[in-house]
Amino acid sequence: NQLGYRASRHGIQEGDLNSKGGRQQLFKTLLESRPQHVWFSPTCGPWCAWSFLNESQSIAGFQHVQEQREQHLYQLALGLVLYKFQCIHQRHLHWEQPARSLMLKTPYLYEVAQGTYKANFDMCQVGGMRDPQNQKLFKKGMEIHTTSQQLYLQFNGRKCNKQHDHQPLEGNTIHKGVSIRRTAFSENYTRKFARSLAQVL
């Protein structure tokens, strides 16, 4: 919006997508605004590399991760519907996940995985993401499954140049005087990344 374009957000404040009412509001917005691009960022926790490690530790850990994935299956189903909706109208969908996420490897999303380009990049190069306490860069590998070749070409392959130290995504840091998990802090997009993305879109 600041760049002079038009965008709207559907987050938890606009309607919980786990509820019928929240999904109705989302599709009302889609039908009314007919966006050229939909950026979809579902919960990554149950599908990330850490979850893979946790489920391999014990039977209880495996069951816990499986339960979490079942609770979030509605997000995968919603993403598939959004993908088909955008494709039918010859518009674009961009599905964001951290690198090594297992989400797009599930059989449910085979159609999405086959019908999109997968852009891989590191946030230390694209977003300039830093730890707020020690200012070290987070590497944070990312992948975007996108129907847009232009977006794919803009971001894919922009990997770390190995000319700086990284802060591992573990433990806590201090942001605005408050302790926060580094993994939680890194879920927010940097201004640099958001502007780069908006300019491509």
Side-chain angles (χ1 to χ4, degrees):
N1 289 329
Q2 289 174 356
L3 289 169
Y5 305 109
R6 185 166 58 92
S8 62
R9 169 186 171 86
H10 189 104
I12 191 71
Q13 293 180 337
E14 289 74 29
D16 184 353
L17 294 176
N18 195 20
S19 70
K20 182 179 178 180
R23 293 190 294 272
Q24 285 179 333
Q25 181 57 47
L26 171 63
F27 282 104
K28 181 175 184 289
T29 301
L30 288 172
L31 290 168
E32 290 177 349
S33 59
R34 293 176 293 176
Q36 184 64 27
H37 299 272
V38 170
W39 180 268
F40 185 54
S41 180
T43 305
C44 63
W47 314 93
C48 70
W50 282 111
S51 70
F52 183 72
L53 176 65
N54 291 336
E55 70 176 349
S56 67
Q57 298 296 310
S58 65
I59 293 176
F62 176 83
Q63 290 175 335
H64 177 68
V65 170
Q66 293 303 311
E67 288 171 1
Q68 282 190 315
R69 288 177 182 170
E70 286 180 10
Q71 291 170 6
H72 288 83
L73 280 179
Y74 76 92
Q75 294 186 2
L76 276 61
L78 176 61
L80 180 58
V81 172
L82 291 173
Y83 167 76
K84 290 185 175 183
F85 179 84
Q86 288 295 93
C87 288
I88 287 171
H89 293 92
Q90 298 183 319
R91 299 193 288 256
H92 292 295
L93 176 94
H94 319 285
W95 190 314
E96 179 263 311
Q97 281 287 285
R100 296 187 294 161
S101 169
L102 300 174
M103 182 179 288
L104 271 295
K105 293 180 173 63
T106 62
Y108 308 113
L109 300 180
Y110 178 81
E111 182 179 349
V112 179
Q114 291 297 305
T116 54
Y117 303 95
K118 185 172 74 169
N120 289 289
F121 57 91
D122 293 331
M123 285 298 277
C124 62
Q125 289 298 304
V126 177
M129 181 176 283
R130 294 181 181 273
D131 185 283
Q133 190 171 18
N134 59 31
Q135 293 303 303
K136 285 186 178 181
L137 287 162
F138 292 127
K139 182 179 180 181
K140 192 172 185 181
M142 300 284 285
E143 64 180 47
I144 303 173
H145 288 256
T146 176
T147 56
S148 167
Q149 187 180 36
Q150 183 182 2
L151 189 142
Y152 167 78
L153 293 173
Q154 178 71 20
F155 288 102
N156 186 54
R158 295 173 64 180
K159 296 288 190 172
C160 179
N161 58 18
K162 300 182 180 179
Q163 296 180 5
H164 49 254
D165 293 329
H166 292 126
Q167 168 60 55
L169 281 171
E170 56 189 31
N172 285 26
T173 186
I174 303 297
H175 179 55
K176 297 181 179 179
V178 178
S179 178
I180 181 174
R181 288 181 297 110
R182 286 190 170 96
T183 50
F185 176 81
S186 72
E187 290 176 357
N188 297 292
Y189 300 140
T190 62
R191 180 178 177 84
K192 178 181 177 182
F193 175 64
R195 287 181 67 85
S196 296
L197 181 64
Q199 287 167 347
V200 175
L201 299 186

